[in-house]
Amino acid sequence: MRMPGQLAAASLVLALALSLAAAPASAAQAPHALPALSSADQQRADKLAHGLRCLVCQNQTLADSNAPLAHDMRNLIHAQLAEGRSDAQIMRFFEDRYGDFVRYDPPFKPITWLLWLGPFALLALGFWVLMRTLKRRSGARAPLTADERARAARFLDTGS
């Protein structure tokens, strides 16, 4: 036999469950609707999305990435274009927030010199090591001693 308090609690839980089931699921999760952009602003948004790196994928632009963060960043571009910001202001916003790494082509400044010049420095170092190694190998060698000549002649004649 059920107690009156248990019956009231059960009916409250049932009423709450029915009200949650009846509420549309998208009402609580509806994304903020972004205003429509003109075709020129849409082209600017695409250009900006191609100039920024996806921070999740890191080897893809925002335009090419399907990561949720890339989607959010594209929405930020869209919202800032709708507010009338310039391309430079939008790029500065992302650089201030994520650093120069967010740009798909980082600017050439002292902090990124290693990024830009590093591959060329490594290539030059590799070329220098190769030339030095080849020069050492091609250097004049000391002539064979009489014992070494006899041993070589014996090897060539007999094969052992």
Side-chain angles (χ1 to χ4, degrees):
M1 183 166 157
R2 292 195 171 205
M3 302 290 279
Q6 288 177 333
L7 189 58
S11 62
L12 180 63
V13 168
L14 181 63
L16 182 61
L18 289 174
S19 68
L20 287 176
S26 63
Q29 299 173 351
H32 179 258
L34 295 171
L37 292 177
S38 67
S39 63
D41 282 344
Q42 187 59 46
Q43 288 177 350
R44 286 177 54 208
D46 290 342
K47 182 182 174 193
L48 287 166
H50 278 91
L52 292 170
R53 178 185 316 274
C54 174
L55 299 173
V56 175
C57 307
Q58 295 186 3
N59 62 345
Q60 289 183 322
T61 64
L62 285 183
D64 298 332
S65 176
N66 291 327
L69 180 62
H71 178 72
D72 292 343
M73 291 172 76
R74 286 191 300 266
N75 284 344
L76 279 172
I77 292 171
H78 187 102
Q80 290 186 12
L81 284 172
E83 291 174 5
R85 294 193 180 171
S86 69
D87 293 357
Q89 289 173 321
I90 294 171
M91 287 297 256
R92 196 171 325 114
F93 168 80
F94 283 104
E95 286 175 355
D96 291 345
R97 191 174 231 189
Y98 301 109
D100 288 331
F101 180 75
V102 75
R103 290 183 64 139
Y104 211 68
D105 57 342
F108 188 74
K109 56 186 183 180
I111 197 150
T112 60
W113 284 353
L114 183 62
L115 177 67
W116 282 102
L117 301 176
F120 298 110
L122 288 175
L123 184 64
L125 178 67
F127 185 72
W128 179 77
V129 167
L130 176 68
M131 295 308 292
R132 187 172 169 182
T133 303
L134 291 175
K135 190 174 183 180
R136 280 186 189 172
R137 286 185 181 175
S138 68
R141 296 180 184 214
L144 296 177
T145 65
D147 184 42
E148 291 171 334
R149 283 179 197 245
R151 201 168 114 204
R154 205 176 38 234
F155 179 76
L156 290 172
D157 288 341
T158 63
S160 60

